[in-house]
Amino acid sequence: MEHYSDRRYLVSFDSAMVPQIFADVLVIGSGVAGLRAALTAAEGGEVLLVAKGQLEESNTSKAQGGVAAALDKEDSSALHMQDTLDAGQGICDPEIVRAITAEAPERIEELARWGANFDREDGRIALTREGGHSMARIVHALGDATGKEVADTLIRRVRETEGIKIMDGTFVLDLLTMPEEGCVGALLHDRSRGPMIVWAKATVLACGGAGRIFRETTNAPIATGDGIAMAYRAGATLTDLEFYQFHPTALYVAGASRALISEAVRGEGGILRNARGERFMPKYHELAELAPRDAVSRAIVTEIRETGHTCAYVDMRHIAAERLVRRFPGIRDLCAQFDIDITREQVPIRPAAHYMIGGVQVGFDGRTSVPRLFACGEAACTGLHGANRLGSNSLLEGLVIGHHAGDAARRTAESESREAPHTRFKVRLTAARTDAIDVADVTDSLRALCWRSLGIERTRFGLDEVAHMLVFWGRYVMAKEFRDRAGWELQNMLQVASLLTEVAMMREESRGVHFRTDFPKTNDALWKTHLDVSRELGVQQRRVEG
Ligand code: FAD
Ligand code: SIN
């Protein structure tokens, strides 16, 4: 398949027309991973933190359920590790799982020390359950607004930290790389000042996921896969891209932008019903409503098909109203805006694209295959999630790997004796004729197509159709030089969707969130592997030992 790999940069380079700035460590992204990375990186030098919107615009800020950590005295990081491995269906990296689950309590205590107001019961941090977790180990805040509390806490601390300079409203177009040196910075476009170059001794990519390639998604508008696309163009190895997680329960009401109805609702006893009012999950999985997300999403799709109705329902009417309102104030308010009283009425839901399991391949310290380039959070793939992610493990991963990536980037910058600049690089945005392209129209078409054929159920036939259309759109979209965010995001979405399609096509089995109706069984003999992809080597199969 074509991946537009001849283009290294989204815009052309020319002479020294743009401002150049310097940083020891450049951090791209203001979600949990980027914020956490910036805080540790700033312990040793000047950090520049860049975000394309306001700092608060992120998937992190939308997170509801919580952060997983074995805090209960009956619980242990060994149990947390085992649950994570079970969900990952044979392809997690056990060493990464061990290290991240072991560090979880420390990262939670640190956040609490920094002022995060986690919900408490009898003075202790309150814990709830989510699908696939054998114990109550989900730490939450403000009922169902954990992500906002985590983000606000970290943003506050970042703003108070000397040595962190913030540039919001600044779109990173591409990473700048040199053959011997690896990543030397990035090309930015600031909303008010235009293009500029930042030279950095180390760069941390924390740009989040790519849920916006799907029409139905819980993700924030920023989640257009920019980090994954720019890492690919810069030569980094990506992995596990075919594993994209769909959340079973997004609010299905016209105008509600597929807002999430947290899995914690089912953790607190919420029941799934079909249009006939029947509870259906027990017939699909022994864990019923708390089965892994892939199983619940597929069951809902089957029930929708069989009942011929447009959605299924979450029923919370049997839960004490006082408890519902205390635990889920955000969901209560959200539904109320659409005239749904969650204490008296069922909530219409459908699955939606939620979490990018694959991403830039990294180790525990966030190191990528490109020297001086680190990645963390949803843009990265550590091997924690394997083929299916346990709820509430990704904020945790962002906190842990963000901290270690920030530390490794700081150490890399400290060991760098030479001062930037690399004045050999000069940039100018060329005037480009893109007026014939209706970017919003292509974007909508891409999202509809990916939802239909790259979504919860995949077949070779459907994937072929996606591949064909992506190549066609790519021919007239990728060759152009756009001058605004919507165009650059479309190019990144096309890049990510085409990579995802190629590996989804290759994996002729079903495992975790990757479900092929034409290959419905898991095939360990052939496919207990990762699929790594890079510009240089194309797709390579990497066997999982054990
Ligand atoms: P994000 O938080 O998405 O931040 C990405 C950042 O990158 C943003 O600042 C953005 O501006 C910046 N960026 C992107 N592209 C560019 C560019 N080109 N130039 C400059 N900046 C750029 N996980 C859990 O563990 N528990 C939960 O309860 C939970 N609930 C969720 C609920 C919802 C509705 C969603 C969508 C996700 C949820 N998740 C949850 C998943 C989790 O929130 C995310 O995986 C995690 O927050 C990702 O963090 P991040 O730092 O990697 O990226
Ligand atoms: C949720 O609250 O259901 C989302 C949790 C997650 O995605 O980890």
Side-chain angles (χ1 to χ4, degrees):
M1 244 186 101
E2 190 177 328
H3 298 304
Y4 330 112
S5 47
D6 50 324
R7 291 282 303 282
R8 276 203 58 205
Y9 301 114
L10 291 182
V11 295
S12 317
F13 284 79
D14 201 332
S15 56
M17 306 270 299
V18 294
Q20 307 192 11
I21 50 179
F22 305 93
D24 291 319
V25 177
L26 167 65
V27 177
I28 311 171
S30 64
V32 61
L35 293 165
R36 189 62 197 79
L39 286 169
T40 301
E43 288 168 17
E46 293 292 312
V47 173
L48 177 63
L49 176 72
V50 178
K52 66 179 169 180
Q54 294 184 342
L55 295 194
E56 293 77 8
E57 289 176 46
S58 64
N59 275 355
T60 298
S61 295
K62 286 172 72 96
Q64 293 182 353
V67 192
L71 295 182
D72 192 281
K73 59 181 184 322
E74 305 289 313
D75 199 2
S76 67
S77 57
L79 277 176
H80 187 181
M81 172 175 177
Q82 194 52 52
D83 292 342
T84 304
L85 291 173
D86 290 346
Q89 302 204 4
I91 62 161
C92 296
D93 179 329
E95 197 35 49
I96 288 281
V97 180
R98 191 201 57 71
I100 292 179
T101 52
E103 202 172 304
E106 183 186 339
R107 297 273 80 90
I108 294 292
E109 281 154 24
E110 177 182 74
L111 273 180
R113 223 173 33 249
W114 290 348
N117 189 12
F118 292 123
D119 295 333
R120 291 181 180 263
E121 266 167 19
D122 304 326
R124 289 214 189 91
I125 290 182
L127 301 168
T128 191
R129 281 193 66 179
E130 276 182 4
H133 288 278
S134 58
M135 302 289 295
R137 66 166 72 95
I138 314 301
V139 176
H140 45 88
L142 316 174
D144 52 8
T146 315
K148 183 172 179 326
E149 184 62 13
V150 168
D152 287 353
T153 304
L154 292 172
I155 289 171
R156 216 170 30 241
R157 198 162 175 91
V158 158
R159 289 196 193 282
E160 286 164 6
T161 301
E162 244 179 77
I164 302 181
K165 184 167 177 253
I166 297 169
M167 281 175 71
D168 54 8
T170 303
F171 192 96
V172 178
L173 287 130
D174 269 305
L175 301 167
L176 300 177
T177 54
M178 300 185 74
E180 300 291 297
E181 295 161 75
C183 184
V184 292
L187 172 62
L188 325 178
H189 188 274
D190 179 75
R191 208 163 28 201
S192 44
R193 287 174 287 179
M196 56 180 70
I197 284 178
V198 54
W199 302 115
K201 296 176 181 171
T203 299
V204 181
L205 197 62
C207 294
R212 303 300 290 192
I213 68 170
F214 296 99
R215 189 189 70 208
E216 308 286 316
T217 183
T218 60
N219 281 200
I222 53 94
T224 51
D226 302 347
I228 294 157
M230 69 177 98
Y232 176 75
R233 290 192 291 272
T237 302
L238 314 179
T239 194
D240 288 350
L241 293 180
E242 66 276 33
F243 298 111
Y244 194 94
Q245 182 173 67
F246 299 87
H247 196 292
T249 54
L251 179 60
Y252 191 68
V253 181
S257 358
R258 305 303 169 257
L260 191 70
I261 303 296
S262 175
E263 187 161 313
V265 166
R266 283 172 280 129
E268 298 282 342
I271 283 172
L272 290 172
R273 296 190 189 280
N274 64 21
R276 292 192 286 263
E278 300 156 348
R279 183 182 183 197
F280 55 83
M281 272 318 295
K283 80 179 182 228
Y284 290 94
H285 201 284
E286 60 193 14
L287 293 174
E289 277 78 5
L290 290 182
R293 287 181 184 175
D294 59 313
V296 182
S297 292
R298 283 200 300 280
I300 293 172
V301 168
T302 307
E303 292 293 318
I304 287 175
R305 198 179 291 134
E306 283 180 3
T307 57
H309 193 63
T310 51
C311 62
Y313 296 88
V314 181
D315 188 354
M316 307 173 226
R317 293 172 297 180
H318 52 287
I319 303 173
E322 174 278 322
R323 179 165 179 76
L324 265 188
V325 170
R326 179 163 44 81
R327 273 295 280 116
F328 305 114
I331 292 173
R332 189 268 315 262
D333 290 351
L334 167 77
C335 290
Q337 284 178 44
F338 298 94
D339 205 24
I340 299 169
D341 176 352
I342 62 171
T343 65
R344 295 153 57 119
E345 290 164 279
Q346 301 188 107
V347 177
I349 52 89
R350 274 179 82 118
H354 187 61
Y355 182 81
M356 180 108 194
I357 290 178
V360 185
Q361 188 184 18
V362 296
F364 189 64
D365 63 358
R367 213 171 283 274
T368 72
S369 59
V370 174
R372 295 184 177 78
L373 177 64
F374 302 82
C376 49
E378 197 168 332
C381 181
T382 59
L384 172 69
H385 311 300
N388 198 357
R389 177 180 72 98
L390 270 189
S392 293
N393 262 357
S394 53
L395 288 177
L396 170 63
E397 187 188 37
L399 288 168
V400 173
I401 305 298
H403 164 59
H404 290 280
D407 193 46
R410 172 185 66 76
R411 281 185 281 111
T412 299
E414 277 170 358
S415 67
E416 182 77 63
S417 53
R418 164 185 54 74
E419 281 296 312
H422 295 269
T423 42
R424 280 169 282 172
F425 261 133
K426 289 161 186 177
V427 62
R428 174 172 62 105
L429 284 182
T430 59
R433 287 188 52 83
T434 53
D435 36 323
I437 297 179
D438 181 340
V439 169
D441 192 40
V442 185
T443 305
D444 288 346
S445 304
L446 164 79
R447 297 182 66 202
L449 178 69
C450 288
W451 178 246
R452 191 168 71 239
S453 299
L454 190 57
I456 297 169
E457 295 179 336
R458 298 167 174 175
T459 62
R460 175 75 201 202
F461 180 81
L463 292 169
D464 274 340
E465 185 203 3
V466 181
H468 173 79
M469 289 310 297
L470 292 179
V471 168
F472 174 60
W473 292 329
R475 268 195 239 135
Y476 57 88
V477 172
M478 297 307 282
K480 301 280 190 304
E481 290 200 6
F482 290 92
R483 307 204 64 177
D484 63 7
R485 176 171 159 177
W488 298 324
E489 288 181 337
L490 171 60
Q491 289 177 316
N492 287 331
M493 287 194 280
L494 274 169
Q495 183 114 58
V496 171
S498 81
L499 292 167
L500 215 146
T501 305
E502 176 162 18
V503 286
M505 235 181 222
M506 285 180 77
R507 185 175 283 277
E508 293 187 329
E509 66 153 0
S510 292
R511 182 185 297 270
V513 297
H514 172 70
F515 187 70
R516 291 277 302 254
T517 52
D518 44 357
F519 295 95
K521 296 218 160 62
T522 302
N523 182 344
D524 274 348
L526 285 180
W527 287 107
K528 201 169 171 201
T529 64
H530 299 281
L531 289 174
D532 297 342
V533 54
S534 68
R535 261 164 60 103
E536 196 187 347
L537 299 174
V539 183
Q540 301 227 305
Q541 219 170 330
R542 180 166 45 93
R543 189 98 205 132
V544 175
E545 300 309 326

